[in-house]
Amino acid sequence: MKTIGLIGGMSWESTVTYYLEINRYINKKLGGYYSAKCILYNVQYQEIKDVHKKGDWDRAGDILSEAALSLKAGGADFIILATNTMHIVAPRIKAAVELPFLHIAEVTADRLCLDDIKTVALLGTRFTMEKDFYKKVLEDRGINVLIPEKDHIEKIHEIINKELILGKVEASSRECFKKIIISLQKQGAQGVILGCTEIGLLIKQEDSILPVYDTALLHADAAADYALND
């Protein structure tokens, strides 16, 4: 079994999801008392939030590359980054660590293609919805990406940052997301990507008119599967 190097803490709430899902997946596959070989580097999230405010992505690349190098030194065989937004600096991490890196958008694209989803709604932070680093991975696979209107983008970003990363799950916010998903379904979306690893704390399949693609779960399962494939 390969050792997973997990860069987490963005936020710790969704990192818990990764840890649980990875271990559950491996135990389901192997049975008994088997669990993952995993090293977690939990970054200081305040420092990452400061990067967001300043738009200093070079500094973000430095922070996360250092984390990846620490995981490599600790014996990690490959790296996963337990956040969607910070995949903005994925090329920096990959270049620095020179280990296999499982990209969250590539994992998501694989599943969408398997399910023959041609048009998908993308929900996440403002950075994930508006910048090209994530959407381009999907579009390069022939998947059309829909994002919400501007007011909805700001509302989603606010809910993520003021509620979900602090572990607050509000019924009113769930209703807001459900309405946004309906509006995107009317525009032709065949599925919805929960493109922030915290959104899965709020939205489950039963809350959505569209098939839900929870990136935290998809990424965690892909990491566990990769670890098992020697």
Side-chain angles (χ1 to χ4, degrees), residues 39-225:
I39 307 169
L40 169 62
Y41 189 111
N42 202 69
V43 302
Q44 175 50 261
Y45 194 43
Q46 183 61 59
E47 194 171 6
I48 298 298
K49 291 297 290 180
D50 291 342
V51 164
H52 285 181
K53 291 176 183 177
K54 296 175 183 176
D56 188 357
W57 303 113
D58 286 338
R59 176 58 185 151
D62 291 341
I63 294 167
L64 298 180
S65 294
E66 290 167 8
L69 288 168
S70 293
L71 291 169
K72 181 179 181 180
D77 294 307
F78 67 100
I79 303 296
I80 62 170
L81 178 61
T83 166
N84 287 271
T85 297
M86 297 314 296
H87 275 72
I88 290 174
V89 299
R92 287 278 305 277
I93 299 169
K94 292 167 69 174
V97 76
E98 296 181 333
L99 285 177
F101 179 92
L102 298 190
H103 195 293
I104 196 168
E106 292 174 0
V107 167
T108 303
D110 287 343
R111 181 58 181 271
L112 292 169
C113 289
L114 184 66
D115 290 352
D116 198 30
I117 299 293
K118 304 296 185 184
T119 299
V120 71
L122 174 61
L123 308 182
T125 66
R126 183 191 309 118
F127 309 110
T128 299
M129 289 186 282
E130 294 185 339
K131 291 184 178 292
D132 291 333
F133 75 96
Y134 199 98
K135 291 183 288 185
K136 188 176 187 304
V137 174
L138 302 172
E139 290 166 351
D140 285 349
R141 300 284 290 276
I143 301 166
N144 182 40
V145 181
L146 302 178
I147 63 171
E149 62 185 55
K150 186 65 176 177
D151 288 350
H152 288 167
I153 286 174
E154 294 304 319
K155 185 61 178 176
I156 292 167
H157 190 82
E158 179 183 10
I159 290 169
I160 291 169
N161 282 281
K162 293 186 177 179
E163 296 175 19
L164 298 181
I165 64 174
L166 299 173
K168 298 178 182 178
V169 178
E170 304 288 351
S172 59
S173 294
R174 181 177 292 111
E175 291 304 311
C176 177
F177 268 73
K178 288 167 70 173
K179 290 176 181 177
I180 292 170
I181 292 169
I182 289 170
S183 72
L184 291 163
Q185 187 262 347
K186 290 178 179 178
Q187 295 177 44
Q190 300 167 293
V192 57
I193 298 172
L194 307 187
C196 173
T197 53
E198 284 81 24
I199 298 177
L201 303 173
L202 180 70
I203 296 296
K204 310 297 182 186
Q205 184 57 66
E206 59 266 27
D207 302 310
S208 173
I209 193 172
L210 292 172
V212 165
Y213 293 86
D214 185 331
T215 54
L217 299 180
L218 291 173
H219 203 201
D221 288 352
D225 192 58

